[in-house]
Amino acid sequence: MTTHQTVQLEAPAPTGPAPAGTGAPAQAPAGAAGKRPPRLALVDGLRLAACLFVAAFHFLGTTNPAIWGESPKVFSYLVHRASMYGWLGVEMFFLISGFVICMSAWGRTPGQFAVSRISRLFPAYWFVILLIVARIAIIPMQTGDISSVIHPRVVLSNLTMFPGPLKVGLLDGVAWTLDVEARFYLLMVIVLKFGTTYARMMGFCTVWLVAAFVTHSTGFKLADQFVLSTYAGYFIAGIAVYLMCRFGQNLMLWFLLGMAWAYQLSVLQIRVNWHPATSHTDKTVSWTLCALLVTGFLAILMLASLGPLRKIKWSWLVTAGALTYPFYLVHMSLGIPLAKGLTRHVPELGPWGNIVVTTSAMLLLSYGIYRWVEKPMSRWLRRKLTKGLKPKENPEFAH
């Protein structure tokens, strides 16, 4: 998933892509100079919606009734069954990420892009990891050797954001998606190295999609670490939608979008198999319904960026987008322990009251993290990292 990024769209170029070899972003139409590009507020809101889908999956769609102190029958079969599909919020994140990251990276150097991503992702993440460690140390929620769970090696590995490759368990279970996002960023750096133009981005997406087909068919695990064959179609589709916004719709972009989406829906069965029914009395998760849901989300994204919904300017949607990243990080690692505590000590809340209080508390915590941790630390980190892109040479060591 991506962190908060104001969704603001550059004006499309009137004559196609920038000149080959310049790496410069497309020029705005005549008379557009100085105008602020339109903000796609609804895309911000879609990020929080996707995050709430994931929270619904963790809160209501899994077999853990002890969280709320009641048997799962207290929740209607329809609510439980619908929440089982909440994991699709992750797929929606990846789709939006293709759109937003392409927009964010356009016209930047690899170094500038790296500074942007590091300064946006790490401050909130580091803070949440420390909160999780403090929670485990003060209020252990599991049996076993707590000291091994928060051993310094475990904590340090998690602070890198990539404990998986280091063979260390995640302190924040949802953070596995950040590893997927980071691999997408590495692929984007390849394009940025040569400069972002319409032709280069189209070529990049085409090669990536072909590589995903080949990797999926051959099962080449090493290549899949970079190709991301299980998710490539989402990122490519998001990029294609952004290119339509920036350069206008054409048959080439529609063909790229169609091929990427056909591929993604074909390999969606892999993700469906990872999410079997959460109760032995339920039928298995439906691929057809999953495909319809993610396709519907793609349609909403296109309406929000290309269609009439792009005119929506509600300011609270921008705030909603800002809360997405911290809420995603805390809703399971801190939200579920809070829910268990409320169940134990304030049973009169009942399951639904517990859900309302827990979700509201996590949203308030997310706002606090965004307002007093992420924003100031990101500004400071961005400023310091930017200086590191062009350091001054020490004359004592100059030859």
Side-chain angles (χ1 to χ4, degrees):
M1 84 153 263
T2 60
T3 186
H4 174 64
Q5 174 77 38
T6 300
V7 183
Q8 194 163 290
L9 188 64
E10 295 89 346
T15 57
T22 65
Q27 297 299 310
K35 288 186 177 181
R36 189 176 181 84
R39 173 176 288 169
L40 304 178
L42 187 58
V43 178
D44 285 302
L46 289 178
R47 285 200 300 246
L48 184 61
C51 191
L52 290 173
F53 291 161
V54 177
F57 173 71
H58 291 139
F59 287 172
L60 299 170
T62 57
T63 53
N64 199 349
I67 294 176
W68 315 108
E70 298 281 351
S71 75
K73 292 181 180 179
V74 73
F75 304 113
S76 71
Y77 176 80
L78 180 61
V79 170
H80 174 64
R81 184 70 177 166
S83 300
M84 286 171 53
Y85 291 85
W87 59 268
L88 290 169
V90 171
E91 326 296 291
M92 298 168 185
F93 276 132
F94 293 151
L95 175 61
I96 296 173
S97 182
F99 182 98
V100 174
I101 295 304
C102 184
M103 176 179 63
S104 173
W106 201 276
R108 286 179 168 173
T109 66
Q112 291 170 335
F113 179 64
V115 166
S116 171
R117 293 297 90 203
I118 292 171
S119 63
R120 287 187 180 277
L121 287 173
F122 276 98
Y125 175 79
W126 283 333
F127 185 76
V128 170
I129 290 297
L130 294 178
L131 281 181
I132 293 171
V133 171
R135 193 274 300 168
I136 294 174
I138 298 171
I139 313 173
M141 299 296 293
Q142 59 188 57
T143 58
D145 184 6
I146 300 301
S147 62
S148 66
V149 177
I150 54 175
H151 188 278
R153 175 177 174 267
V154 175
V155 177
L156 289 172
S157 299
N158 275 268
L159 288 174
T160 69
M161 199 180 281
F162 311 111
L166 300 175
K167 307 299 182 182
V168 174
L170 291 167
L171 286 173
D172 192 350
V174 299
W176 68 269
T177 61
L178 302 181
D179 182 79
V180 176
E181 287 279 347
R183 295 168 199 245
F184 168 47
Y185 300 161
L186 288 175
L187 291 176
M188 287 295 295
V189 166
I190 297 173
V191 184
L192 300 183
K193 182 65 178 177
F194 296 96
T196 45
T197 67
Y198 172 85
R200 287 170 183 161
M201 193 61 71
M202 284 290 292
F204 163 71
C205 289
T206 301
V207 171
W208 188 7
L209 186 57
V210 171
F213 269 94
V214 173
T215 304
H216 178 71
S217 64
T218 60
F220 188 12
K221 293 184 178 180
L222 178 59
D224 200 31
Q225 295 296 310
F226 303 96
V227 173
L228 302 171
S229 63
T230 305
Y231 310 103
Y234 294 122
F235 293 115
I236 295 170
I239 292 173
V241 174
Y242 174 71
L243 292 177
M244 289 180 181
C245 290
R246 188 178 182 96
F247 298 101
Q249 301 176 49
N250 60 61
L251 186 57
M252 283 293 293
L253 286 173
W254 275 106
F255 184 77
L256 174 65
L257 176 61
M259 290 295 290
W261 206 245
Y263 168 83
Q264 190 58 60
L265 294 185
S266 297
V267 300
L268 179 61
Q269 188 63 50
I270 297 173
R271 291 279 285 156
V272 170
N273 293 341
W274 291 350
H275 296 85
T278 57
S279 171
H280 66 276
T281 61
D282 288 327
K283 298 179 181 179
T284 58
V285 174
S286 166
W287 173 91
T288 301
L289 184 54
C290 290
L292 288 173
L293 288 171
V294 293
T295 301
F297 194 84
L298 171 63
I300 295 173
L301 175 63
M302 296 185 74
L303 288 172
S305 55
L306 295 168
L309 297 184
R310 67 182 293 164
K311 297 179 181 179
I312 293 176
K313 306 295 183 183
W314 302 331
S315 60
W316 65 268
L317 289 173
V318 179
T319 303
L323 298 182
T324 299
Y325 183 49
F327 181 79
Y328 180 76
L329 293 176
V330 303
H331 81 272
M332 185 171 75
S333 58
L334 298 176
I336 289 180
L338 174 61
K340 290 181 177 179
L342 291 173
T343 296
R344 186 179 302 109
H345 300 292
V346 195
E348 55 270 21
L349 279 176
W352 284 111
N354 195 341
I355 289 173
V356 171
V357 172
T358 298
T359 304
S360 299
M362 291 302 101
L363 286 171
L364 286 173
L365 176 61
S366 300
Y367 179 79
I369 293 172
Y370 165 70
R371 178 66 177 81
W372 290 295
V373 177
E374 184 179 352
K375 283 185 69 175
M377 285 187 64
S378 292
R379 284 196 297 263
W380 178 85
L381 193 58
R382 187 182 303 110
R383 185 169 62 252
K384 295 297 183 180
L385 290 173
T386 299
K387 288 183 178 179
L389 294 178
K390 294 182 179 179
K392 294 181 179 179
E393 188 176 23
N394 188 338
E396 295 182 8
F397 291 89
H399 297 286

